[in-house]
Amino acid sequence: MRSSLPLAIIQLEAPPEAVSNLVGEQQHWFIAALGLKPGEYSVVRPDLGEALPEPGTVSAAILSGSWAMVTDHAEWSERTAAWIRSAVEQALPLLGVCYGHQLMAYALGGVVDDNPRGWERGLQQLEMNENAQHDPLLNVLPVHFSAWLSHRQSVIQPPPGAQVLAASALEECQIIRYTPQALSVQFHPEFTGQIMTACLQNSQSSEALSSLMVHQQEPGTPLQLLQDFWQQHRQLSKLA
């Protein structure tokens, strides 16, 4: 048995300064949510020109959210999409979150565009479908749960062969399974109420923010999904 390989946190651009000054950047949110220690993870910034990891050097990868739009087709985003295709071919465990969710779907043949139902913000209710009952990561989770969300664009059409496993009132593709090793979520399992508040303060009026955040508790199911993903693939990498 050997020590586990690190988790790659693929941070896709940085938050607006007003957000990062309050709550840090995407990498910090995942590190805190997973309780990661130095040596257990590496952070990659393709938007800064950094090379994406070779699949054999990491145990798994998480693709973060972003304030960018997939439909802008930025160079770093297209380069990351090409890396996603290669990583999936090599069976590297992948978890896409928000922008990472949309980028994975786009990279693998799906369609991403503005959500015709509008922005989805704050704490929203999700429902998993029957297929989720057979998913090895999701089958221990409740069918109905709440999650933090903040997105304007959506996966309008999933890739051929992909399974949609959950939806919300405004979003039909909340969780997508692509392969046994790769899935993505539109919501933010790494968010806390503090992070959500900072993001909403950056884009919402104080009145709208108040209405979205009043009497809302921290959701536990999305965090469990995130932690289970890492623990599952961390253990597998130890045994490899």
Side-chain angles (χ1 to χ4, degrees):
M1 183 181 295
R2 59 183 170 82
S3 298
S4 59
L5 295 170
L7 170 69
I9 300 173
I10 313 298
Q11 181 176 317
L12 303 171
E13 290 200 327
E17 187 175 355
V19 174
S20 59
N21 285 343
L22 289 173
V23 292
E25 300 184 357
Q26 297 98 310
Q27 58 179 285
H28 305 126
W29 310 338
F30 285 106
I31 291 166
L34 292 169
L36 297 173
K37 300 175 182 178
E40 293 183 334
Y41 66 91
S42 61
V43 178
V44 180
R45 290 287 302 275
D47 60 294
L48 297 181
E50 295 179 2
L52 288 145
E54 291 293 329
T57 65
V58 295
S59 60
I62 294 175
L63 294 121
S64 80
S66 179
W67 274 254
M69 298 293 162
V70 170
T71 54
D72 287 342
H73 301 292
E75 182 278 333
W76 59 264
S77 185
E78 294 296 311
R79 180 161 45 87
T80 305
W83 177 84
I84 289 168
R85 290 188 286 271
S86 175
V88 167
E89 288 177 357
Q90 297 179 65
L92 176 68
L94 297 179
L95 175 65
V97 172
C98 196
Y99 186 95
H101 163 77
Q102 297 166 15
L103 187 61
M104 282 182 66
Y106 161 76
L108 299 173
V111 177
V112 173
D113 208 338
D114 289 354
N115 188 338
R117 299 174 182 174
W119 279 84
E120 189 176 36
R121 295 183 173 103
L123 194 64
Q124 302 295 332
Q125 295 298 310
L126 280 65
E127 180 177 1
M128 290 196 284
N129 61 36
E130 291 183 0
N131 291 326
Q133 298 175 12
H134 308 290
D135 189 274
L137 187 66
L138 306 179
N139 61 13
V140 298
L141 303 178
V143 172
H144 298 91
F145 63 94
S146 57
W148 297 118
L149 287 121
S150 181
H151 68 108
R152 192 187 85 193
Q153 294 201 322
S154 294
V155 178
I156 304 300
Q157 180 179 321
Q163 268 194 330
V164 176
L165 301 176
S168 63
L170 297 180
E171 174 59 63
E172 295 179 359
C173 297
Q174 284 286 356
I175 305 178
I176 302 176
R177 169 69 73 180
Y178 307 95
T179 70
Q181 297 81 25
L183 80 159
S184 63
V185 299
Q186 181 58 71
F187 53 89
H188 283 278
E190 81 285 15
F191 268 25
T192 62
Q194 183 182 19
I195 297 169
M196 184 82 262
T197 300
C199 293
L200 291 172
Q201 284 175 333
N202 186 64
S203 61
Q204 292 280 298
S205 68
S206 58
E207 181 179 351
L209 174 64
S210 177
S211 68
L212 283 167
M213 296 301 296
V214 67
H215 303 310
Q216 296 191 350
Q217 298 180 344
E218 296 289 354
T221 298
L223 180 59
Q224 182 182 348
L225 185 158
L226 176 64
Q227 293 174 342
D228 287 352
F229 170 83
W230 168 229
Q231 289 304 321
Q232 180 184 89
H233 297 297
R234 182 186 190 187
Q235 292 304 318
L236 287 174
S237 72
K238 285 182 179 180
L239 297 171

